[in-house]
Amino acid sequence: MSDVQAIRGMADILHPQSALWARVEQVIRGLLEHYGYQEIRIPIVERTELFRRSIGEVTDIVEKEMYTFDDRNGVSLTLRPEATAGVVRAAITNGLLHNQRHRLWTSGPMFRYEKPQKGRYRQFHQVSVEALGYPGPDIDAELILMTVRLWRRLGIEDLELQLNSLGTPQARAGYMAALREYFSRHEASLDEDSRRRLDRNPMRILDSKNPQMQEIVAGAPEIRSWLDPESAAHFAALCALLDEAGVAYRLNSRLVRGLDYYSRTVFEWVTDRLGTQGAVCSGGRYDGLVGQLGAPQTPAVGWALGMERLVELYGLGGGQPADVAPQVYVVAIGDAAWPSALLLAEALRDGPRPLRVEAHCGGGGLKAQMRRADRSGAAVAVILGEDELASGQAVVKPLRLDREQQSLPREAVAAHVAALLEEAR
Ligand code: ATP
Ligand code: MG
């Protein structure tokens, strides 16, 4: 055992897994461009206060999952557990919200002190999409259609869309009272967390991950009958659009999400292909959050998807990695050959159609170098030995096509290799 250790729940993502990530990230970036979302990059650290005030004091995240520390000035900072709070903070501090609308997205690592297990990590990655200044339900629908298109582009099936409306905070007060009443009657069977939440935030109980709580949760009152008329109309319009677009969904009246800032629409894409950690993408409307953080009331809605779970699902569905393997491997035989080999590799990366080239470095005989060429995944090897050095030529050897190797003038190598690659496709 070495004396440097990785941190529990924080993974290194190595090749070839990283190539799978790269492909998924490419597809996501393309999707966001096709919907006109602008990228925003925000810090990983924010003042602790921001998360307390946005996510809510009585949530799993704030109560026990945050990585919080004092900086050298004694200011309490927290590694972001999610991105919405930071995006809203950035929109406020950069003055983006004065009667403006923004479709924004960001991505990167998030941090939660959770019990590490498959699909649940302490550092994980999200892509987070936020539409600020839009009252909906049109934008709510577009955000969901966007995810549908993403699954299609990634070839992912077996995801179920669950949908609910939480109404406005005012309308929710009545529902909270009914929940409190219901759970009080079952107080003896509540776990410790739930009992603590009974007074301050009974909706949190619905989001309990404890299997023993599921039966009680299943019998709880449903929010539907407490919805205010505007929220009900908003929700009906969203459902109607989804019906018209042919998007299947399941109404789940106990879907409340783990953060306090949601109002009206909430949704979650879930799968049973990943074991117990089945939520892949979750989102909803947070009309109150901007105002809660001290800026003028601004309606907003967004979603976040978990990259670890999405990449895993993509791989399970036979998703292909990004094209990162070299197309050409340049072999240099003998001490005098490597400078010419490096320059030839450079030339192959020039031009209107640059190739992915791995130039052999570190010496070694023909056999050893050809073994590396094979293992690299390249379709073609280009070989420079003493004869080729003298004659200004190079040997082009197809590795995956049943074709003879050929000796060519070095200037002709690029075109010949390109033709071979075309044929090998
Ligand atoms: P869960 O119900 O699995 O705890 P959540 O409701 O806490 O998820 P959100 O805060 O909505 O999750 O985050 C959005 C997405 O981020 C989730 O759907 C999931 O895919 C992913 N995610 C959340 N927490 C983790 C984690 N600890 N490790 C890996 N992915 C995570
Ligand atoms: Mg969680």
Side-chain angles (χ1 to χ4, degrees):
M1 186 72 188
S2 75
D3 55 5
V4 289
Q5 289 186 17
I7 301 174
R8 221 162 94 79
M10 301 199 181
D12 302 307
I13 301 161
L14 307 178
H15 186 79
Q17 192 65 8
S18 56
L20 221 47
W21 278 68
R23 170 68 84 215
V24 173
E25 285 163 355
Q26 283 165 358
V27 172
I28 292 172
R29 185 172 279 275
L31 176 91
L32 292 162
E33 284 168 7
H34 286 157
Y35 281 83
Y37 280 72
Q38 293 170 348
E39 186 176 10
I40 168 174
R41 301 192 184 207
I42 54 174
I44 285 173
V45 189
E46 298 276 358
R47 287 176 179 260
T48 303
E49 194 54 22
L50 175 70
F51 299 117
R52 292 190 166 284
R53 283 174 57 186
S54 53
I55 297 168
E57 294 279 353
V58 192
T59 57
D60 275 350
I61 294 179
V62 171
E63 280 186 333
K64 50 192 181 196
E65 294 176 358
M66 296 206 301
Y67 279 89
T68 297
F69 59 97
D70 285 351
D71 77 359
R72 287 167 193 271
N73 278 327
V75 179
S76 180
L77 302 179
T78 292
L79 301 185
R80 62 181 185 194
E82 56 100 50
T84 303
V87 169
V88 169
R89 195 274 310 140
I92 295 172
T93 52
N94 291 285
L96 301 188
L97 294 176
H98 303 294
N99 295 317
Q100 299 173 58
R101 293 175 169 172
H102 293 278
R103 288 175 159 105
L104 304 174
W105 72 278
T106 195
S107 67
M110 307 294 155
F111 303 85
R112 296 184 194 177
Y113 196 83
E114 301 204 67
K115 192 169 152 226
Q117 51 197 288
K118 187 174 174 304
R120 192 173 291 288
Y121 308 95
R122 289 181 174 173
Q123 173 172 328
F124 61 100
H125 299 77
Q126 286 184 343
V127 170
S128 184
V129 174
E130 319 288 349
L132 307 177
Y134 296 88
D138 47 6
I139 193 92
D140 308 36
E142 185 191 82
L143 280 163
I144 291 176
L145 292 177
M146 212 163 137
T147 56
V148 173
R149 186 177 300 279
L150 179 58
W151 314 147
R152 205 184 317 133
R153 288 191 180 177
L154 292 172
I156 292 177
E157 290 163 1
D158 309 323
L159 278 173
E160 181 191 62
L161 174 61
Q162 299 191 1
L163 206 55
N164 193 20
S165 175
L166 301 180
T168 60
Q170 296 79 352
R172 221 151 46 221
Y175 178 57
M176 299 268 256
L179 275 182
R180 207 170 278 126
E181 202 262 327
Y182 169 81
F183 284 121
S184 299
R185 272 191 279 126
H186 296 83
E187 194 168 348
S189 1
L190 295 184
D191 63 11
E192 197 191 310
D193 274 344
S194 302
R195 220 168 291 158
R196 200 156 29 84
R197 284 165 186 177
L198 191 51
D199 275 335
R200 291 181 65 188
N201 201 345
M203 263 171 61
R204 283 274 68 78
I205 302 176
L206 299 179
D207 198 40
S208 169
K209 297 275 181 314
N210 182 350
Q212 271 138 33
M213 293 290 301
Q214 298 315 308
E215 201 178 316
I216 307 167
V217 165
E222 305 191 355
I223 195 161
R224 213 167 293 156
S225 23
W226 277 269
L227 279 193
D228 52 292
E230 291 78 17
S231 294
H234 185 119
F235 194 53
L238 169 62
C239 293
L241 186 285
L242 294 177
D243 291 337
E244 196 177 335
V247 176
Y249 54 87
R250 185 163 77 79
L251 297 177
N252 175 359
S253 62
R254 292 187 187 81
L255 180 69
V256 294
R257 313 280 299 105
L259 305 85
D260 274 357
Y261 50 58
Y262 287 105
S263 58
R264 294 196 166 156
T265 312
V266 289
F267 66 91
E268 201 155 275
W269 285 98
V270 296
T271 177
D272 49 20
R273 295 197 69 188
L274 298 177
T276 43
Q277 314 310 332
V280 174
C281 175
S282 338
R285 181 159 277 287
Y286 47 96
D287 290 341
L289 181 58
V290 176
Q292 209 173 301
L293 294 175
Q297 287 292 343
T298 306
V301 56
W303 51 248
L305 67 79
M307 282 296 292
E308 280 76 5
R309 296 180 195 176
L310 181 64
V311 171
E312 165 131 37
L313 210 50
Y314 176 67
L316 286 174
Q320 291 303 302
D323 295 326
V324 291
Q327 297 164 295
V328 184
Y329 195 98
V330 179
V331 168
I333 307 301
D335 283 345
W338 71 261
S340 302
L342 276 192
L343 294 177
L344 178 56
E346 286 296 321
L348 294 175
R349 299 182 188 107
D350 283 340
R353 294 180 62 189
L355 298 172
R356 295 191 303 277
V357 184
E358 182 169 338
H360 184 85
C361 289
L366 177 63
K367 235 177 158 176
Q369 292 195 34
M370 287 309 292
R371 228 182 357 253
R372 283 184 190 272
D374 248 336
R375 254 186 273 149
S376 76
V380 178
V382 173
I383 306 162
L384 284 184
E386 271 167 34
D387 292 350
E388 287 74 31
L389 268 192
S391 64
Q393 298 213 317
V395 172
V396 175
K397 183 176 165 62
L399 299 173
R400 317 241 177 271
L401 281 174
D402 189 18
R403 295 283 229 82
E404 289 299 303
Q405 66 178 49
Q406 214 177 319
S407 208
L408 301 167
R410 251 169 259 167
E411 318 77 69
V413 169
H416 185 56
V417 167
L420 285 173
L421 290 173
E422 194 53 42
E423 201 177 319
R425 263 167 30 131

